[in-house]
Amino acid sequence: MRIDFLTLFPAMFEGVLGQSILKKAQEKNAVHFNVINFRDYADDKHQNVDDYPYGGGAGMVLKPQPIFDAVEAIKKESETKPRIILVCPQGVTYTQKKAEELAKEEHLLFICGHYEGYDDRIREHLVTDEISIGDFVLTGGELPSMVIADSVVRLLPDVLGNEDSPVLDSFSSGLLEHPHYTRPGDFRGMKVPDVLLSGNHKFIDEWREKESLRRTAERRPDLLNNYPLSKKQKQWLKEFEK
């Protein structure tokens, strides 16, 4: 997979892309990152990328020309057609399902805005997806684009090492993930559930499924509205209510 970031602040990406799973993914050639300063594509001698909004108002608006030229340059040299993502508060709320969808693409291109907003011609004529990571406003699109990239890259084949890891994640199954424990079995009087020490994998799997359902019912009951509950899971929910 190839992931491009169009940004005015390339240095923001250095620490994130060069650490942990994202670093390992690059070393395995599962992903290739390009961080591009779209100021380099500005066509005036001062390299201006923003201007005052027509009609007046606060703040500055990103001009279409630098971003159009940057996207067109990337498309021209790319072997694949990119999925162009605009990270903005007006976009659809990001979900694990969307991450799984994007992980199937060969090329993602993130447009990271700053200032008051974008010239809307960027939104209308360049972008394939508008995505928001939540109902709040940040100073720019760099952090959201890195969050989305991280969630996508970890789903790529062989990146995590254990093929079951992304399948068992919260939201991937439709439920929140079950609790986890490790050594020691008894820490300051707080003990690991006996079933996890039993060695009986059938019982362990059932315990994990039940605890996943319990945690979802307690913390995110809205996720159960469209979840296809089995007969056994419906019985567990009745037990929880009691």
Side-chain angles (χ1 to χ4, degrees):
M1 173 181 277
R2 169 178 171 173
I3 300 181
D4 296 322
F5 302 94
L6 291 183
T7 175
L8 295 174
F9 302 94
M12 291 183 68
F13 292 83
E14 293 175 2
V16 173
L17 302 185
Q19 300 292 326
S20 188
I21 297 300
L22 296 183
K23 179 183 179 181
K24 292 179 180 178
Q26 292 175 84
E27 292 172 347
K28 293 180 178 181
N29 291 318
V31 65
H32 178 69
F33 295 119
N34 293 305
V35 181
I36 301 149
N37 190 335
F38 62 83
R39 190 181 297 278
D40 294 339
Y41 289 87
D43 63 1
D44 70 292
K45 65 178 182 179
H46 299 295
Q47 290 190 306
N48 290 320
V49 295
D50 61 327
D51 209 333
Y52 294 103
Y54 278 126
M60 303 290 281
V61 176
L62 287 173
K63 297 162 62 175
Q65 177 272 317
I67 293 177
F68 266 79
D69 283 4
V71 170
E72 288 165 359
I74 291 170
K75 284 183 173 181
K76 188 174 181 180
E77 56 85 21
S78 176
E79 297 179 358
T80 56
K81 184 178 180 180
R83 186 99 169 244
I84 303 175
I85 299 168
L86 190 71
V87 283
C88 63
Q90 298 95 331
V92 297
T93 302
Y94 193 58
T95 63
Q96 185 66 21
K97 183 177 180 180
K98 190 69 170 180
E100 293 165 0
E101 176 189 330
L102 294 178
K104 298 175 183 177
E105 298 288 337
E106 294 183 46
H107 187 179
L108 302 178
L109 193 165
F110 290 91
I111 301 177
C112 307
H114 244 75
Y115 311 121
E116 181 62 24
Y118 313 87
D119 184 293
D120 220 58
R121 287 167 288 191
I122 296 169
R123 190 192 313 273
E124 292 175 4
H125 299 287
L126 282 183
V127 172
T128 59
D129 299 81
E130 294 181 55
I131 296 177
S132 167
I133 64 167
D135 293 340
F136 51 89
V137 179
L138 297 171
T139 56
E142 286 77 15
L143 293 175
S145 69
M146 286 186 269
V147 167
I148 296 169
D150 182 277
S151 68
V152 168
V153 169
R154 66 187 301 279
L155 297 176
L156 300 179
D158 300 324
V159 167
L160 292 183
N162 186 334
E163 62 183 14
D164 290 333
S165 292
V167 177
L168 299 175
D169 286 336
S170 293
F171 306 113
S172 290
S173 68
L175 302 176
L176 299 182
E177 197 171 6
H178 58 77
H180 293 276
Y181 296 90
T182 188
R183 296 181 179 86
D186 186 334
F187 176 67
R188 298 180 181 179
M190 298 174 281
K191 298 182 179 181
V192 172
D194 291 337
V195 64
L196 297 179
L197 307 176
S198 68
N200 189 318
H201 291 288
K202 181 181 178 180
F203 290 165
I204 291 172
D205 288 344
E206 183 174 78
W207 179 87
R208 286 174 171 169
E209 180 186 356
K210 187 173 184 179
E211 291 306 307
S212 177
L213 183 65
R214 184 197 306 274
R215 183 159 286 187
T216 305
E218 291 174 350
R219 303 183 183 192
R220 288 293 304 277
D222 57 295
L223 295 177
L224 299 178
N225 292 337
N226 298 309
Y227 185 80
L229 292 165
S230 67
K231 184 177 180 181
K232 177 176 63 176
Q233 289 172 328
K234 290 178 181 178
Q235 183 60 42
W236 285 342
L237 283 177
K238 290 180 180 179
E239 293 178 16
F240 301 156
E241 290 174 0
K242 292 179 182 180

